[in-house]
Amino acid sequence: YSPELQQCSQSCNCSNHDFHPVCDINEIVHFSPCSAGCHNYSIFENRKRFHECSCVSPIEQTANFSATSGFCPVECDMFLPYLAIVTVAKMLSATARVGNVIITLRCVDEKDKTLALGAVEFMISIFATIPYPLLYGHVINKACVLWDESCGHQGNCWLYDNTLFRQYLHSLSSGFIFLAIICDFVVFILSSKISNMYGINTKPIENLEVQDTNL
């Protein structure tokens, strides 16, 4: 999407409220067929093809049409490797959950175990569950290149910059993961100071008397 290209269709009085994207042959997304300066269209395989589009570079118009309805296709050759990496990362991160729960239960008195679990869930809600939609929403909105505007108010995002979107999303997630690794490492170091971690009675048993019971 290139806002500069919309200037060539200013004389067409195109609407800025009805978003109907078209992809020209240069793989540039236009706000609508009107914004691309298209005058005619035809139907091919249930999809509109637009012709005589004045905002599409005539030098590159080697095909018999100038633009097609919808967004430009995006090739993603790394989807399967990305899916595999995310799956492995999720599996590795899940292995630490049991250990975290055990440490939480073993570092408090038996009567405080329920309170400890409640305190952990409370902290997760305060610092993760509640703020993360707001934080991620704010970061993702930074990648928006086209906003809906109605009555002078900003609405939903119509189009994102895919490159910025993935950079912002994965950078923020990687930062949180790195912080979590540091915290887990600190817990690992300090957990060695926990005595009787598994609740085993290590005191010697004295004066043990064995009585036989005749049934």
Side-chain angles (χ1 to χ4, degrees), residues 102-185:
I102 292 177
I103 291 176
T104 302
L105 294 177
R106 298 304 182 185
C107 67
V108 297
D109 293 334
E110 185 175 356
K111 62 180 181 180
D112 296 329
K113 294 183 185 297
T114 303
L115 179 61
L117 291 177
V120 170
E121 292 299 325
F122 174 77
M123 298 298 290
I124 292 176
S125 298
I126 293 297
F127 293 103
T129 307
I130 295 176
Y132 97 85
L134 303 176
L135 180 59
Y136 273 86
H138 175 73
V139 172
I140 290 174
N141 286 340
K142 294 293 185 180
C144 182
V145 296
L146 183 60
W147 289 94
D148 176 24
E149 293 185 2
S150 178
C151 299
H153 297 283
Q154 181 175 285
N156 297 325
C157 181
W158 273 332
L159 185 64
Y160 290 96
D161 185 319
N162 291 336
T163 301
L164 291 178
F165 187 99
R166 64 171 177 264
Q167 288 177 352
Y168 291 159
L169 179 64
H170 293 304
S171 296
L172 182 61
S173 300
S174 299
F176 283 132
I177 292 174
F178 181 73
L179 180 62
I181 291 175
I182 294 177
C183 293
D184 283 342
F185 182 75

Side-chain angles (χ1 to χ4, degrees), residues 27-103:
E27 295 187 352
I28 297 177
V29 178
H30 297 262
F31 187 87
S32 65
C34 179
S35 299
C38 301
H39 298 278
N40 299 308
Y41 75 92
S42 60
I43 304 296
F44 180 76
E45 295 181 352
N46 296 325
R47 190 174 184 181
K48 290 184 178 180
R49 284 184 171 182
F50 299 93
H51 310 274
E52 302 177 11
C53 300
S54 59
C55 293
V56 179
S57 175
I59 300 177
E60 301 294 336
Q61 291 192 27
T62 57
N64 57 358
F65 61 94
S66 300
T68 57
S69 59
F71 292 101
C72 297
V74 178
E75 296 182 0
C76 184
D77 299 331
M78 298 299 295
F79 176 73
L80 292 180
Y82 170 79
L83 185 62
I85 292 174
V86 171
T87 301
V88 173
K90 289 292 185 180
M91 292 177 60
L92 293 177
S93 63
T95 58
R97 295 181 181 178
V98 176
N100 291 336
V101 173
I102 292 177
I103 291 176

